[in-house]
Amino acid sequence: GESVGLHLPTLSVQEGDNSIINCAYSNSASDYFIWYKQESGKGPQFIIDIRSNMDKRQGQRVTVLLNKTVKHLSLQIAATQPGDSAVYFCADSNAGNMLTFGGGTRLMVKP
Amino acid sequence: EPEVTQTPSHQVTQMGQEVILRCVPISNHLYFYWYRQILGQKVEFLVSFYNNEISEKSEIFDDQFSVERPDGSNFTLKIRSTKLEDSAMYFCATSGGTGELFFGEGSRLTVL
């Protein structure tokens, strides 16, 4: 992922709306991608992953889209809830090596 | 649900002091990692550990850092002589080899 320094981009959505969080990665050799959710004062929590042989994967209320051509990853959250408020990080790795995290996006859900 | 456990949750230390952070991995996991997160910044890789040796480390993981698994259960990160810039949240993560990392709740280190 790419670093965005101290200022986190913020996405503010209304409860019940869909959210789309985007991430760019830099390593074209990356073959494994994960989205993590981090609530304040807690460790990263796994949401969903995708391997490079796929371009879409769905979980419960979440979908990850991978565009290897432009090295872009997105996380879609359906029917966003207040409990979804957190910082979301994408991470990528190559051949089982270390995960590299992106800078994170703060999702704020308005009731 | 199995989880990664880290201690202490918060440690305050004086600059120059040694610090040991401890992690109890998920029981059948064999791959261990330390990451750190300076307040407000992204999660940064420090080191990975497999089969009782370091498999990969970042530029951050200099000679002041070391890891070991002394008793086959705890996985520790030692900082020999802490600096102000070592203040951060340190996360242990473990994996069963699928690529998915499970993170602990973190140990907050404050260096004064």
Side-chain angles (χ1 to χ4, degrees), chain B:
Chain B
E1 184 176 327
E3 59 181 19
V4 177
T5 306
Q6 289 186 241
T7 55
S9 57
H10 188 193
Q11 181 155 358
V12 181
T13 189
Q14 294 290 323
M15 190 169 54
Q17 294 297 304
E18 176 182 282
V19 161
I20 298 176
L21 306 178
R22 293 182 170 78
C23 170
V24 178
I26 293 173
S27 62
N28 60 343
H29 284 187
L30 300 176
Y31 299 83
F32 312 116
Y33 308 81
W34 283 102
Y35 283 77
R36 81 169 186 191
Q37 185 178 31
I38 295 172
L39 185 63
Q41 298 189 22
K42 67 175 182 176
V43 179
E44 300 174 290
F45 170 78
L46 291 178
V47 65
S48 59
F49 190 85
Y50 171 72
N51 199 25
N52 284 319
E53 60 182 28
I54 291 173
S55 43
E56 197 170 4
K57 61 182 180 180
S58 71
E59 295 174 348
I60 303 168
F61 195 87
D62 61 21
D63 292 345
Q64 291 302 310
F65 290 88
S66 63
V67 289
E68 63 175 358
R69 200 173 178 219
D71 55 8
S73 60
N74 289 295
F75 176 53
T76 63
L77 174 69
K78 181 192 291 186
I79 309 174
R80 287 190 186 82
S81 178
T82 50
K83 304 184 287 289
L84 294 176
E85 54 265 38
D86 293 328
S87 294
M89 197 77 164
Y90 288 81
F91 291 106
C92 173
T94 74
S95 169
T98 61
E100 179 184 345
L101 266 59
F102 293 82
F103 284 81
E105 294 290 279
S107 292
R108 181 173 299 282
L109 176 64
T110 302
V111 182
L112 302 176

Side-chain angles (χ1 to χ4, degrees), chain A residues 93-108:
Chain A
S93 71
N94 169 34
N97 293 324
M98 64 176 189
L99 278 178
T100 300
F101 280 77
T105 297
R106 185 180 306 282
L107 175 65
M108 296 176 63

